[in-house]
């Protein structure tokens, strides 16, 4: 079996919002890296920007080696989660 842990004061999406994806992905990432989720540091817009940058970087590296599938793609470098720090945002 498994243990169930309850966390209080988690950030929640506004009522009526259909934007649950960024919350779900961030929770999953925090759980997998063993980080706590702090409501006062949760910035959905910054997190969206971060995830877009990660996907863009991976897609660019995949294109650079002319990979046609994820199997042929270069290995993703190991990374440390830094979900609360976004230092610069660039419009592309």
């Amino acid at each position: 079996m498994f243990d169930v842990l309850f966390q209080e004061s988690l950030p929640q999406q506004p009522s009526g919002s259909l934007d649950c994806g960024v919350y779900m992905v961030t929770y999953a990432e925090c759980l997998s890296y063993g980080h706590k989720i702090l409501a006062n540091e949760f910035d959905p817009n910054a997190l969206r920007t971060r995830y877009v940058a990660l996907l863009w970087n991976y897609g660019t590296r995949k294109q650079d080696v002319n990979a046609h599938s994820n199997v042929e793609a270069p290995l993703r470098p190991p990374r440390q989660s830094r979900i609360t720090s976004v230092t610069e945002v660039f419009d592309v």
Side-chain angles (χ1 to χ4, degrees), residues 31-83:
L31 290 172
S32 67
Y33 285 101
H35 294 295
K36 292 183 179 181
I37 302 169
L38 303 174
N40 61 346
E41 293 181 5
F42 192 90
D43 181 357
N45 290 329
L47 291 166
R48 277 188 212 90
T49 302
R50 178 180 174 273
Y51 292 128
V52 165
L54 288 170
L55 290 171
W56 181 273
N57 178 274
Y58 180 66
T60 302
R61 291 185 318 114
K62 188 175 166 181
Q63 187 177 22
D64 288 345
V65 297
N66 200 27
H68 298 287
S69 70
N70 288 336
V71 174
E72 299 171 337
L75 293 176
R76 297 177 196 154
R79 63 182 173 90
Q80 295 177 336
S81 175
R82 299 194 194 302
I83 64 162

